Amino acid sequence: MAILLGSIADDYTGASDLANTLTKNGLRTVQTVGIPDPALALPDVDAVVVSLKIRSVPASDAVAAAASAERWLRQRGAGHVLYKICSTFDSTDAGNIGPVTEALSDAAGGGGVLVTPAFPETGRTVYLGHLFVGGQPLNESPLKDHPLNPMHDANLVRVLTRQSRNAVGLIDLTTIAAGPGAVKARLDALSTAGITAVIADAIFERDLETLGEVALETPVSTGASGLGLGLARALLRSGRISSDGATTADAIRPVGGLSAIVAGSCSKATLHQLDIAERSMPVLRLDPERLLAGPDEIAAAISWAGDRISAGPVVIAASAAPETVSRLQSLHGREASGHAIETATSIIAAELVGRGVRRLVVAGGETSGAAVDRLAIPAFLIGPEIAPGVPVLRTVGNAQGDMLLALKSGNFGGEDFFTSALAMMH
Ligand code: ADP
């Protein structure tokens, strides 16, 4: 079955957020990890989100990666491709939103591209081309101090002009309030005048629904999960989706096997969730110093799990309280200790899968990324949410057979997150 909506996400977390938003708005959605193999067999889906890591790489690399993702999506039938960016327009004057947007438009034969990072649910709104984060203009928000891409200008027309070859246009809220016909006419007029990227205002979800409807008539758009919501709702309204309410049920068909939880998040919520899990499951607290010292701690953890896992789920956690984390970081450096522990937790996750684990919960954003990379999982079908923002995922094309995963970053989930997650994974 051909897919209706394709998306290229500039980072993995953004891809997950978009894939979850599309699913919640009625599209059967697969998220791939990197540019998929040409032979990847997809289940019946409406949308595919290709996760890349191109937000902060040189613009020419971002363009090349986006172009090959686009080719894959078009070959699978995608009539529209959304370039998924951060809702804070995270980028520098050297790119990559402008160059990728223009390259995707060129690849589709030219034409105007609607661009909006608006996502009202998370407080991101755009008015007269200016991005607001909560109640503040972007350049007065905490994003002005972003470590990689500090944002000093809230005027997105100016920001995008500095990144673009062509002039950048604006479609303001008054035009959007006048409806899809008015927006389309303005977009066409700007395109005829030689403009490619057009910043679109949006304050409410209804504005994004209007933009989604217009975008669907064009080959490319650029935006955050808010525009994804608009596109999904427009697709549903168009009657082209045969969603029967069972969108996510298929994703949680039982997979059997053993189950485990691996945690590397040191967030307050995760630490509390581990304490609660300890009441009902065996929990192994890894010794971070020993993890850094060599492979013995990993081998000991696997052996500990081997003695218990056939009786029920086990938890293995590197997570520690802030004092312990700072001590390790001051001894070994922040990056080095984080990376070494991610490597260790990913090896533990892979060893557990090698021993029959098919239902896996991973706590920690970076920890999850490292585990998914090591397990070489090509793609996921998005299932129902365990907690807001954290869906059950079903592997697609996985060498070890179908698995169910829950990848939870930082502060997500209630105190019983781990038992709630496992209760949805059979
Ligand atoms: P979160 O989603 O909560 O930010 P991440 O997995 O993204 O979680 O980040 C947590 C980081 O902390 C990872 O790099 C992980 O390897 C590291 N880490 C885990 N346990 C410890 C520890 N005991 N000491 C120091 N760093 C740790």
Side-chain angles (χ1 to χ4, degrees):
M1 194 179 84
I3 58 175
L4 292 170
L5 176 65
S7 177
I8 302 163
D10 70 353
D11 84 341
Y12 282 13
T13 334
S16 308
D17 187 57
L18 173 65
N20 194 39
T21 301
L22 295 178
T23 304
K24 284 200 297 180
N25 282 279
L27 304 195
R28 288 171 46 88
T29 305
V30 157
Q31 174 189 353
T32 74
V33 183
I35 298 167
D37 190 286
L40 177 70
L42 287 178
D44 268 359
V45 285
D46 307 307
V48 173
V49 179
V50 174
S51 328
L52 301 179
K53 282 185 188 162
I54 57 170
R55 186 172 294 171
S56 305
V57 304
S60 54
D61 295 352
V63 165
S68 61
E70 194 244 11
R71 281 193 295 276
W72 190 94
L73 290 164
R74 299 284 185 207
Q75 276 161 10
R76 295 302 175 110
H80 184 83
V81 171
L82 165 67
Y83 179 44
K84 161 69 173 71
I85 57 167
C86 180
S87 63
T88 60
F89 220 73
D90 194 2
S91 55
T92 67
D93 288 350
N96 291 334
I97 299 173
V100 172
T101 298
E102 291 185 332
L104 291 176
S105 170
D106 290 350
V113 177
L114 290 172
V115 180
T116 187
F119 193 18
E121 187 182 309
T122 56
R124 272 52 156 184
T125 56
V126 180
Y127 179 61
L128 295 177
H130 290 69
L131 175 57
F132 292 81
V133 176
Q136 295 169 308
L138 178 66
N139 58 310
E140 292 176 26
S141 77
L143 278 308
K144 70 181 190 302
D145 303 317
H146 187 285
L148 290 178
N149 304 330
M151 303 302 291
H152 295 305
D153 192 355
N155 182 327
L156 298 183
V157 175
R158 271 196 313 247
V159 171
L160 197 55
T161 299
R162 291 194 287 267
Q163 302 179 14
S164 302
R165 188 186 60 212
N166 296 337
V168 172
L170 171 69
I171 298 185
D172 66 14
L173 199 65
T174 312
T175 309
I176 288 158
V183 174
K184 181 76 169 82
R186 178 89 182 119
L187 182 66
D188 289 345
L190 290 167
S191 169
T192 305
I195 285 173
T196 303
V198 178
I199 298 290
D201 282 355
I203 293 182
F204 301 107
E205 288 187 356
R206 64 166 182 266
D207 303 325
L208 291 160
E209 289 171 9
T210 301
L211 293 172
E213 193 170 325
V214 178
L216 270 190
E217 294 177 41
T218 69
V220 179
S221 61
T222 295
S225 293
L227 188 54
L229 170 150
L231 285 161
R233 291 187 184 169
L235 269 173
L236 283 187
R237 270 200 315 274
S238 75
R240 291 157 71 195
I241 305 279
S242 55
S243 173
D244 54 2
T247 317
T248 55
D250 189 44
I252 49 172
R253 286 192 328 275
V255 294
L258 303 172
S259 50
I261 295 165
V262 174
S265 161
C266 300
S267 73
K268 205 172 158 204
T270 304
L271 295 175
H272 185 53
Q273 288 158 348
L274 287 167
D275 289 342
I276 299 292
E278 209 149 35
R279 296 181 192 161
S280 57
M281 293 175 240
V283 176
L284 176 68
R285 311 270 183 175
L286 296 163
D287 179 335
E289 278 292 353
R290 283 175 51 87
L291 270 187
L292 294 190
D296 291 356
E297 182 74 352
I298 295 178
I302 300 303
S303 150
W304 175 90
D307 294 341
R308 293 165 178 80
I309 200 159
S310 53
V314 299
V315 185
I316 299 182
S319 317
E323 321 74 79
T324 316
V325 173
S326 334
R327 199 167 54 242
L328 199 78
Q329 288 176 341
S330 61
L331 282 173
H332 302 279
R334 173 189 289 265
E335 287 254 326
S337 53
H339 185 69
I341 294 182
E342 282 158 35
T343 305
T345 46
S346 73
I347 293 172
I348 291 171
E351 292 282 335
L352 292 174
V353 171
R355 284 162 174 72
V357 166
R358 292 292 174 272
R359 291 166 282 149
L360 179 66
V361 180
V362 186
E366 295 298 325
T367 307
S368 297
V372 165
D373 282 347
R374 186 165 296 270
L375 290 167
I377 296 169
F380 299 106
L381 177 65
I382 315 299
E385 285 186 325
I386 303 157
V390 196
V392 179
L393 304 171
R394 182 185 200 87
T395 59
V396 172
N398 187 36
Q400 293 94 342
D402 283 1
M403 289 179 59
L404 294 177
L405 283 96
L407 308 175
K408 179 200 90 90
S409 45
N411 282 316
F412 284 63
E415 65 173 24
D416 60 351
F417 176 82
F418 294 132
T419 43
S420 313
L422 293 173
M424 290 175 69
M425 298 157 75
H426 298 286

